[in-house]
Amino acid sequence: MVSKTTGAEGVRWDLGIFYSGLEDARINNDIVLFEEKAKKFRADYRGNLATKLGSAITDYSEIMKLSEKPIGFLYLLQSTDVTNAEVNAKLAEVELV
């Protein structure tokens, strides 16, 4: 098998800007916070978008930012080793939320 170099062999993700690692409690805290905010969003805006569209868009944007942080972290972590069962399991868990 021929090995091809890409020039990126020494490049590694610095995921510390997201979380310290897979065991970082902030991942689950962010997921719980996302779930709480999503439930509040539904309660606040269901049937009320005609009168609250502006604030709904602002709140939705904040919810989406919160949801993308753990997902982005886990996808990038997975990209470094797609065979890591622990990362794959956590990613599957988070994607169900």
Side-chain angles (χ1 to χ4, degrees), residues 8-9 17 19 22 30-31 33 37 41-42 54-55 64 67 75 82 91 93:
E9 288 75 20
I17 62 170
Y19 303 103
L22 193 57
D30 283 348
I31 293 167
L33 183 59
K37 286 183 175 273
F41 181 88
R42 181 178 181 184
S55 59
M64 292 312 296
S67 74
Y75 273 122
V82 296
L91 184 56
E93 174 189 328

Side-chain angles (χ1 to χ4, degrees), residues 17-97:
I17 62 170
F18 293 105
Y19 303 103
S20 63
L22 193 57
E23 296 79 27
D24 191 329
R26 293 178 300 157
I27 296 172
N28 288 335
N29 292 344
D30 283 348
I31 293 167
V32 168
L33 183 59
F34 164 77
E35 290 175 321
E36 291 169 357
K37 286 183 175 273
K39 287 176 186 175
K40 183 178 181 327
F41 181 88
R42 181 178 181 184
D44 289 350
Y45 297 111
R46 187 173 186 184
N48 296 312
L49 285 180
T51 59
K52 297 182 175 182
L53 184 59
S55 59
I57 291 171
T58 300
D59 289 351
Y60 182 77
S61 173
E62 291 301 315
I63 290 169
M64 292 312 296
K65 281 191 246 178
L66 184 58
S67 74
E68 292 300 320
K69 185 179 175 187
I71 289 287
F73 171 77
L74 292 168
Y75 273 122
L76 291 172
L77 192 59
Q78 182 190 49
S79 75
T80 64
D81 180 4
V82 296
T83 64
N84 186 319
E86 190 177 7
V87 172
N88 293 336
K90 187 66 173 180
L91 184 56
E93 174 189 328
V94 170
E95 287 178 325
L96 291 176
V97 173

